[in-house]
Amino acid sequence: MATSKSGTSLSPVVVFLLGAASATALLLFFLTSAARPALETGALRREEVRPDSATVRRSTPRANGTAGAEQHAGVAAPPANEAGAGGESEFARMLRAAAMEDRTVIMTSVNEAWAAPGSLLDSFLESFRVGENVSHFVNHIVVVAMDDGAFRRCRDVHPHCHLLRPEKEGLDLSGAKSYMTKDYLDLVWSKLKLQQRILELGYNLLFTDVDVAWFRNPLVHITMAADITTSSDFYFGDPDDLGNYPNTGFIYFKATPRNVRAMAYWHAARRRFPENHDQFVFNEIKRELAGGEVGVRIRFIDAKDVSGFCQLGRDLNRIATVHMTCCVGLENKLFDLKRVVEDWKRYMAHPLWERRMGKIGWRFEGGRCIH
């Protein structure tokens, strides 16, 4: 009887092993079921950001690794001259290629007259070659061509060129526009929407006119505590004083929703000042931008560092850039820009100890605008 009982019942060890195996199988089943949605979600995310995705917003650059750049900036409308997703993607790829590690892009603009051989674009690029540790900045410049001739010339001398079509059909922006004529005003205003688009895509923007000579790094004079940092035609000693006179031919914008709103506000203000250029309007509305709903902080750079002919810095030991301000006409600007570059070469040809004495300066005799 005892023998029959032991043959039909399971050993306690076998029962234990069968229970453990069942628990393990059940645990594996739940783990696999829980992991599958996550894996599928990951695959979906990888698919959403494929370069060949048909949805451009999914492939737009990200701002600081957070939400999409358009969400980051709060504005999603493309510029008026972008004809579809392909053009937008091409421009976005150019910005990625040109951007610095902190997502800063340098932008300048030229028409055919300014980009012609021996004209402003050549002298502008030469200043980076002869300047002090600034040659690498050329790789971060996007040259915006305002017409087909400027675009062809740009592609001959520079890797990052973008053709900006005028908003008004039939508008010719290729010639040496006379200061404050209607064509001149259309030329200077047409770049603002593209600048806004750069901010919307999550890039910091440093805009520099092409008649600016770069000799030292001007970024050391830009503070992240301000939303907008601008050069000054006339600087009165306090960088936060809105009484300073800005020059928007050298101006820095952080990629923030506030600055996108400020750029749109600035462009819309043209209707209130229809006979004036962008810099005049910026000066008129700077207090509106700093207060009210926009609320940006504007900071001005000392004209002794980021300088121009309106208030020229005399000390070459601290000069970063020189702008051909208070100078009208392409020939006059080009003449003095070339002289400024030659003066810098003469300064750099002297030994360091002699340069530090501060006795080597600009040549004023024979200049067209320099004073």
Side-chain angles (χ1 to χ4, degrees):
M1 187 172 185
T3 304
S4 174
K5 186 177 181 180
S6 63
T8 57
S9 63
L10 295 176
S11 168
V13 175
V14 174
V15 172
F16 173 79
L17 291 176
L18 287 174
S22 300
T24 302
L26 186 61
L27 180 61
L28 288 174
F29 173 78
F30 282 117
L31 287 175
T32 304
S33 300
R36 187 175 299 112
L39 293 172
E40 291 173 355
T41 302
L44 179 60
R45 287 173 180 167
R46 287 192 294 273
E47 183 180 357
E48 286 177 347
V49 297
R50 286 182 305 173
D52 59 346
S53 172
T55 306
V56 174
R57 290 188 185 179
R58 291 177 180 173
S59 62
T60 50
R62 298 280 172 169
N64 300 324
T66 57
E70 294 180 352
Q71 295 175 346
H72 168 76
V75 180
N81 71 317
E82 285 188 358
E88 185 178 6
S89 292
E90 182 179 352
F91 184 59
R93 286 195 297 269
M94 181 180 297
L95 293 179
R96 284 196 296 273
M100 305 178 198
E101 290 184 359
D102 66 346
R103 296 180 65 84
T104 296
V105 173
I106 303 170
M107 171 183 164
T108 193
S109 59
V110 295
N111 62 5
E112 186 172 6
W114 300 346
S119 193
L120 293 175
L121 180 60
D122 284 351
S123 293
F124 171 73
L125 294 175
E126 182 186 7
S127 72
F128 289 90
R129 293 191 292 269
V130 303
E132 194 172 48
N133 300 320
V134 292
S135 60
H136 64 283
F137 284 120
V138 172
N139 300 323
H140 305 296
I141 300 173
V142 171
V143 178
V144 176
M146 315 300 289
D147 56 77
D148 292 320
F151 185 61
R152 288 191 297 269
R153 168 64 176 155
C154 177
R155 295 181 70 177
D156 288 340
V157 299
H158 191 66
H160 308 304
C161 304
H162 177 72
L163 177 60
L164 179 64
R165 296 291 183 186
E167 295 180 4
K168 297 181 180 178
E169 187 175 352
L171 183 64
D172 179 15
L173 301 177
S174 61
K177 305 302 177 186
S178 298
Y179 184 67
M180 293 306 294
T181 62
K182 183 179 183 302
D183 282 353
Y184 173 86
L185 293 176
D186 288 334
L187 178 65
V188 298
W189 278 102
S190 61
K191 64 180 183 287
L192 247 67
K193 283 190 176 179
L194 188 64
Q195 292 176 349
Q196 179 178 330
R197 185 60 179 162
I198 293 173
L199 298 180
E200 290 169 1
L201 289 171
Y203 292 92
N204 308 310
L205 171 65
L206 174 56
F207 178 81
T208 172
D209 276 342
V210 75
D211 62 337
V212 176
W214 284 51
F215 297 132
R216 291 189 179 91
N217 181 7
L219 294 177
V220 300
H221 303 292
I222 294 173
T223 172
M224 292 297 101
D227 297 291
I228 301 172
T229 304
T230 179
S231 60
S232 312
D233 270 349
F234 297 100
Y235 178 80
F236 302 116
D238 181 358
D240 297 309
D241 181 9
L242 291 174
N244 295 313
Y245 284 84
N247 188 294
T248 57
F250 188 97
I251 189 167
Y252 176 88
F253 297 89
K254 285 197 302 187
T256 64
R258 261 197 313 271
N259 272 342
V260 172
R261 293 193 296 270
M263 190 73 77
Y265 190 94
W266 182 12
H267 193 277
R270 182 186 184 184
R271 294 192 294 268
R272 294 155 51 191
F273 307 93
E275 304 297 324
N276 289 282
H277 55 71
D278 56 337
Q279 179 175 303
F280 175 89
V281 175
F282 183 88
N283 187 58
E284 290 296 308
I285 66 170
K286 59 190 177 185
R287 288 180 171 82
E288 299 172 28
L289 293 174
E293 295 181 1
V294 182
V296 295
R297 181 184 177 189
I298 303 172
R299 192 173 177 88
F300 297 82
I301 308 176
D302 194 331
K304 293 179 181 178
D305 300 308
V306 174
S307 197
F309 285 171
C310 292
Q311 191 180 16
L312 183 61
R314 276 10 188 204
D315 186 357
L316 270 67
N317 288 319
R318 63 181 290 182
I319 283 286
T321 63
V322 180
H323 193 174
M324 308 300 107
T325 55
C326 294
C327 189
V328 178
L330 173 59
E331 290 185 2
N332 293 331
K333 286 178 176 290
L334 182 58
F335 184 87
D336 277 358
L337 179 58
K338 289 181 176 179
R339 281 173 55 93
V340 164
V341 173
E342 290 302 318
D343 284 351
W344 175 265
K345 291 179 182 177
R346 180 173 55 89
Y347 162 78
M348 290 297 291
H350 288 76
L352 180 60
W353 66 267
E354 191 173 353
R355 299 201 303 266
R356 285 179 174 173
M357 293 177 65
K359 296 183 178 180
I360 307 168
W362 309 114
R363 294 173 298 159
F364 295 98
E365 300 81 8
R368 302 279 181 87
C369 301
I370 189 171
H371 59 276

